[in-house]
């Protein structure tokens, strides 16, 4: 597949690029095409030249892709989504976006009026675009360490079974990561709100590159 990483010059975008470049064409998007090209070169170096990673502006990245991952901070989600509407046709959109704030002491979930970043994206994108809310509790630093096994689970929310299958397969390409169906897009707020909880726990208990795993006690 062709996977566009919007704002893919940042932390989580770099992580997805190094994990998915073995099996997919990776298009790093940026507000500035030159910055995207530099980021693509850096990712190719991390991969010892193996893979097909290139960079362009965010709009061209969307237009060229089958799958679009919104790798931008929540504050810029509306502008990045609205400004690029003309570039969308029938891509599958993945949102790892967490609307949260930090007051210097702790993180808090600060959802928009739609209830979650995913539901806000749903309200902005055309109905035909499938959306999967996923990867909110996956640490970018752990993703970027391309050979590291992730012991965590990835929680996926979507209304579309086929999209769930596609993104589950992408999650399985990340060593030892387990994709779990977390329900429809309407409950994405629950999953998104796990991130500030995870970051608070990690800070208070000095846990590096923290993740979340569901265990069965049977
Ligand atoms: N970091 C993590 O561990 C992690 C884990 C799970 C989920 N997430 C979520 O993933 C998303 C990205 O996180 P991140 O840590 O990768 O973010 P980041 O590194 O801080 O930023 C990602 C990219 O956003 C773009 N950007 C910055 N300002 C912008 C603006 N005004 N308008 C449009 N784009 C702008 C930049 O790309 P250009 O300058 O190239 O345009 C930047 O490289 C967030 O929503 C976060 O909640 C992050």
């Amino acid at each position: 597949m062709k996977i566009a990483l919007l704002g893919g010059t940042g932390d989580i975008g770099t992580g997805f690029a190094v994990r998915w470049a073995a099996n997919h064409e990776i298009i790093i998007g940026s507000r500035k095409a030159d910055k995207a090209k530099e980021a693509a070169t850096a990712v190719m170096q991390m991969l010892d030249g193996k893979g097909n990673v290139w960079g362009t502006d965010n709009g061209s990245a969307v237009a060229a892709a089958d799958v679009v991952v919104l790798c931008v901070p929540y504050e810029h989600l509306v502008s990045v989504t609205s400004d690029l509407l003309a570039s969308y046709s029938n891509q599958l959109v993945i949102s790892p976006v967490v609307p949260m704030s930090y007051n210097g002491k702790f993180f808090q979930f600060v959802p928009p009026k739609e209830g979650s970043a995913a539901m806000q994206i749903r309200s902005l994108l055309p109905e035909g675009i499938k959306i999967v809310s996923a990867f909110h509790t996956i640490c970018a630093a752990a993703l970027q360490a391309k050979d590291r096994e992730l012991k965590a689970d990835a929680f996926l929310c979507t209304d579309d079974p086929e999209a769930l299958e596609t993104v589950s397969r992408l999650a399985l390409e990340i060593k030892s990561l387990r994709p779990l169906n977390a329900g429809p897009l309407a409950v994405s707020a629950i999953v998104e709100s796990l991130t500030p909880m995870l970051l608070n726990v990690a800070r208070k208990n000095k846990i590096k590159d923290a993740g979340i795993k569901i265990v069965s006690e049977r």
Side-chain angles (χ1 to χ4, degrees):
M1 289 189 298
K2 295 181 181 185
I3 304 176
L5 305 169
L6 306 193
T9 51
D11 292 333
I12 198 139
T14 304
F16 288 134
V18 299
R19 295 288 182 155
W20 288 333
N23 299 325
H24 306 281
E25 180 175 333
I26 305 297
I27 310 159
I28 294 190
S30 169
R31 286 166 294 172
K32 294 189 175 140
D34 285 348
K35 184 177 172 186
K37 285 174 189 159
E38 279 170 29
T41 303
V43 169
M44 285 302 288
Q45 278 166 2
M46 291 166 81
L47 297 170
D48 300 322
K50 294 183 198 118
N52 182 3
V53 183
W54 55 284
T56 185
D57 63 276
N58 282 330
S60 304
V62 171
D66 307 306
V67 173
V68 173
V69 191
L70 303 170
C71 304
V72 292
Y74 173 72
E75 304 79 75
H76 314 305
L77 181 65
V78 171
S79 64
V80 165
T81 308
S82 308
D83 291 353
L84 306 179
L85 281 180
S87 303
Y88 283 92
S89 47
N90 61 349
Q91 294 85 347
L92 163 58
V93 170
I94 301 176
S95 171
V97 177
V98 180
M100 65 181 183
S101 66
Y102 181 60
N103 64 8
K105 290 187 179 147
F106 52 84
F107 293 89
Q108 267 182 306
F109 185 52
V110 188
K113 68 175 181 356
E114 291 81 356
S116 65
M119 290 306 284
Q120 191 173 15
I121 297 160
R122 180 68 291 164
S123 74
L124 295 169
L125 288 174
E127 258 186 44
I129 302 284
K130 295 168 181 174
I131 301 170
V132 179
S133 186
F135 303 116
H136 310 86
T137 52
I138 306 304
C139 165
L143 272 184
Q144 288 180 22
K146 68 176 167 38
D147 298 318
R148 193 186 300 177
E149 287 199 23
L150 270 67
K151 304 176 198 100
D153 292 328
F155 306 106
L156 279 53
C157 293
T158 185
D159 299 327
D160 188 278
E162 215 177 293
L164 178 69
E165 180 62 31
T166 302
V167 181
S168 295
R169 272 190 268 114
L170 284 173
L172 287 168
E173 289 176 22
I174 299 169
K175 219 179 237 175
S176 300
L177 186 64
R178 179 175 65 165
L180 292 176
N181 184 349
L185 208 64
V187 300
S188 179
I190 300 170
V191 173
E192 293 174 21
S193 69
L194 293 175
T195 301
M197 183 278 287
L198 177 63
L199 293 174
N200 289 331
V201 168
R203 280 176 64 90
K204 296 277 179 206
N205 298 277
K206 299 187 172 39
I207 301 169
K208 284 188 181 161
D209 296 358
I212 298 178
K213 184 153 195 75
I214 304 289
V215 297
S216 166
E217 300 290 7
R218 290 196 58 138

